[in-house]
Amino acid sequence: MPLTVHQFPCLSDNYGFLARDEASGLAACIDTPEAGAILRELRKLDWKLELILNTHWHPDHAGGNAEIKAATGATIVGPKEVTRIAPLDREVRGGDVVALGATRFQVIESGGHTLGHITYHDAADRIAFVGDTLFAMGCGRLFEGDAAQMWASLQRLAALPDDTRVYCAHEYTASNARFALSVDDDPRLKRRADEVFAARERGEPTVPTTIGLEKATNPFLRAPALAGRVGAAGKPDHEAFGAVRAAKDMFRG
């Protein structure tokens, strides 16, 4: 039986995600950006929360852990770095497996935004919860890691099947699209950007995305092809990526 994902807005631009294993009826929340919103959605759905799955330590991803655990008794799972702001019940790293009823989440190392960032991948249902590593048409800032680490992480995600649904943690897509258009003139990008702008005008979310769509239109995954546009012609792929990331950091569009 499949994994059902319920998505809802949190804070100013975060998304909250609740995932329910239909075989067991058990649910997980992926990150805890806003405890009150998550608890309200759980009550509305009448779902039993079994797990809190943290992708990294930032407060808009782990800041609600204590309140949600106190209310539900859920087990907190995440990378060791989460202990910088909250206790963990189980520490995981790349290669580990986390079970939610019949659902198996493979843990993928995806550091760069933070050093210990991880992704939860449900291969059977073609679902990945990527936190702040990969965004629709974007990627996370390099707050702790370097370009080589982040590029390696993005390549691990890009290796997933193209139809994998990617649940990223923020609604940044319109801003990402404006930047992408400044460095890439691929027709597929222009079509997607138009769709994104129209969706946001209607107040619709642009998450989830898919691995295939990101490989085709995300300038960070396309960095080697864009190297000449960002002053990195002839450089190794991770340096081309770093140049694209640096251009986005400076972009004011």
Side-chain angles (χ1 to χ4, degrees):
M1 298 180 74
L3 188 75
T4 298
V5 179
H6 176 63
Q7 174 179 318
F8 50 97
C10 290
L11 301 176
S12 61
D13 55 31
N14 280 73
Y15 284 117
F17 302 113
L18 292 170
R20 184 176 189 265
D21 172 64
E22 295 298 340
S24 64
L26 299 176
C29 65
I30 294 79
D31 289 326
T32 58
E34 187 177 358
I38 292 166
L39 292 171
R40 283 194 299 273
E41 295 297 318
L42 280 168
R43 288 193 294 269
K44 184 189 306 181
L45 296 167
D46 194 26
W47 285 2
K48 175 178 172 51
L49 193 69
E50 178 78 3
L51 298 175
I52 295 168
L53 303 178
N54 289 145
T55 61
H56 63 294
W57 73 267
H58 285 165
D60 64 330
H61 291 261
N65 283 9
E67 184 176 344
I68 294 172
K69 182 176 178 65
T72 65
T75 299
I76 303 174
V77 179
K80 183 178 181 179
E81 67 178 29
V82 170
T83 59
R84 292 162 70 170
I85 66 167
L88 285 170
D89 296 312
R90 179 186 171 192
E91 177 188 327
V92 292
R93 63 188 65 190
D96 289 343
V97 176
V98 180
L100 176 70
T103 300
R104 298 292 182 269
F105 290 106
Q106 300 284 337
V107 178
I108 300 174
E109 179 186 343
S110 52
H113 179 66
T114 65
L115 291 177
H117 195 301
I118 60 174
T119 288
Y120 296 93
H121 177 225
D122 169 14
D125 297 298
R126 298 284 214 272
I127 290 171
F129 295 101
V130 298
D132 285 357
T133 296
L134 178 66
F135 294 125
M137 305 179 82
C139 77
R141 285 180 179 268
L142 303 182
F143 285 124
E144 295 177 1
D146 59 18
Q149 182 186 25
M150 185 63 126
W151 178 248
S153 295
L154 291 173
Q155 293 311 290
R156 291 186 199 101
L157 298 181
L160 299 176
D162 281 357
D163 61 350
T164 302
R165 281 177 288 156
V166 175
Y167 288 91
C168 42
H170 293 271
E171 183 56 71
Y172 290 161
T173 317
S175 172
N176 290 340
R178 287 190 289 272
F179 168 71
L181 290 168
S182 76
V183 295
D184 193 352
D185 53 12
D186 189 288
R188 296 171 297 179
L189 169 61
K190 179 62 166 61
R191 288 193 296 271
R192 185 182 181 192
D194 288 343
E195 292 169 359
V196 164
F197 298 144
R200 295 307 295 152
E201 283 290 325
R202 297 190 297 267
E204 297 172 357
T206 62
V207 175
T209 179
T210 67
I211 290 295
L213 188 56
E214 295 313 307
K215 285 162 64 174
T217 59
N218 187 316
F220 298 98
L221 294 182
R222 284 175 43 75
L226 304 176
R229 302 287 293 269
V230 291
K235 297 292 183 67
D237 289 353
H238 74 275
E239 292 188 21
F241 162 76
V244 176
R245 182 63 257 182
K248 176 64 164 63
D249 293 342
M250 299 289 291
F251 184 70
R252 297 293 180 267

